[in-house]
């Protein structure tokens, strides 16, 4: 994840990726533009203060860039080979969940965007998720924890 990006850079990168995605994947372009509209009028200082929003934006930027790499392969066989090279959790994320999220309407997206921005997003199960994640990784498994997953 690109932790070194400032809020202004994040907003610029998001806008750039939304334009680039028009050629690569219209579903990704639509989702990125929706996210861009959500944050474009938020002042950089205010955005920086919203840590979960920043983490979500960094995650969507990273996911979009990985998605661009998958889409750059010329054949489905090459795309599948790239997916197969990933650990099982990432393979499931990029092979199933992320494309499904891009294609389908997320009926709760507007709700959790509001909660993220207002600081009301509660990570009620954070402790439990952390313990489960640690158990999985301690046993040699893989975990992907994303803010996109509702």
């Amino acid at each position: 994840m690109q932790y070194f990006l400032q809020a202004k850079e994040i907003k610029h990168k998001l806008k750039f990726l939304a334009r680039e995605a028009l050629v690569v994947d219209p579903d990704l372009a639509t989702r990125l533009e929706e996210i861009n509209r959500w944050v474009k009028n938020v002042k950089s200082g205010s955005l920086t203060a919203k840590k979960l929003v920043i983490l979500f934006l960094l995650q969507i930027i990273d996911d979009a860039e990985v998605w661009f790499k998958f889409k750059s392969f010329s054949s489905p066989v090459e795309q599948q080979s790239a997916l197969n090279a990933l650990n099982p959790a990432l393979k499931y994320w990029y092979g199933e969940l992320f494309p499904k999220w891009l294609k389908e309407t997320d009926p709760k997206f507007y709700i959790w965007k509001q909660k993220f921005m207002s600081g009301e997003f509660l990570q009620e199960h954070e402790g439990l998720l952390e313990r489960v994640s640690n158990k999985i990784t301690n046993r040699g498994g893989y975990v992907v924890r994303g803010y996109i997953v509702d």
Side-chain angles (χ1 to χ4, degrees):
M1 198 172 277
Q2 304 175 30
Y3 290 108
F4 58 88
L5 292 177
Q6 300 296 316
K8 187 176 183 179
E9 296 168 311
I10 290 170
K11 288 166 69 172
H12 176 72
K13 183 88 169 182
L14 189 60
K15 187 188 240 182
F16 171 78
L17 290 172
R19 282 194 309 264
E20 293 292 309
L22 285 170
V23 177
V24 177
D25 185 334
D27 294 326
L28 176 61
T30 299
R31 189 65 70 170
L32 291 174
E33 184 52 40
E34 180 181 11
I35 295 166
N36 183 50
R37 283 191 311 272
W38 174 52
V39 298
K40 74 177 180 182
N41 294 324
V42 178
K43 292 182 180 176
S44 294
S46 295
L47 195 56
T48 299
K50 300 176 184 307
K51 298 298 181 203
L52 287 177
V53 174
I54 291 290
L55 288 172
F56 166 73
L57 295 173
L58 290 170
Q59 177 195 334
I60 195 67
I61 287 169
D62 283 348
D63 285 340
E65 289 177 338
V66 169
W67 197 244
F68 283 140
K69 289 176 186 168
F70 281 124
K71 293 294 189 169
S72 72
F73 292 112
S74 58
S75 75
V77 172
E78 288 177 319
Q79 289 177 358
Q80 190 58 48
S81 178
L83 275 174
N84 290 341
L86 298 174
N87 70 53
L90 286 173
K91 181 179 177 182
Y92 183 61
W93 177 252
Y94 290 113
E96 300 291 330
L97 295 178
F98 189 67
K100 183 177 181 180
W101 183 72
L102 293 176
K103 287 182 184 351
E104 295 180 3
T105 301
D106 185 340
K108 295 183 182 179
F109 193 46
Y110 76 96
I111 293 170
W112 64 262
K113 284 190 307 185
Q114 290 173 345
K115 289 187 177 208
F116 258 2
M117 197 59 79
S118 69
E120 294 177 44
F121 183 79
L122 301 175
Q123 295 178 297
E124 298 168 354
H125 304 2
E126 181 62 26
L128 175 62
L129 289 173
E130 188 67 31
R131 289 190 301 277
V132 170
S133 296
N134 287 339
K135 287 215 183 253
I136 292 170
T137 55
N138 288 341
R139 293 180 178 181
Y142 301 97
V143 175
V144 174
R145 295 187 53 204
Y147 294 101
I148 293 172
V149 178
D150 188 20

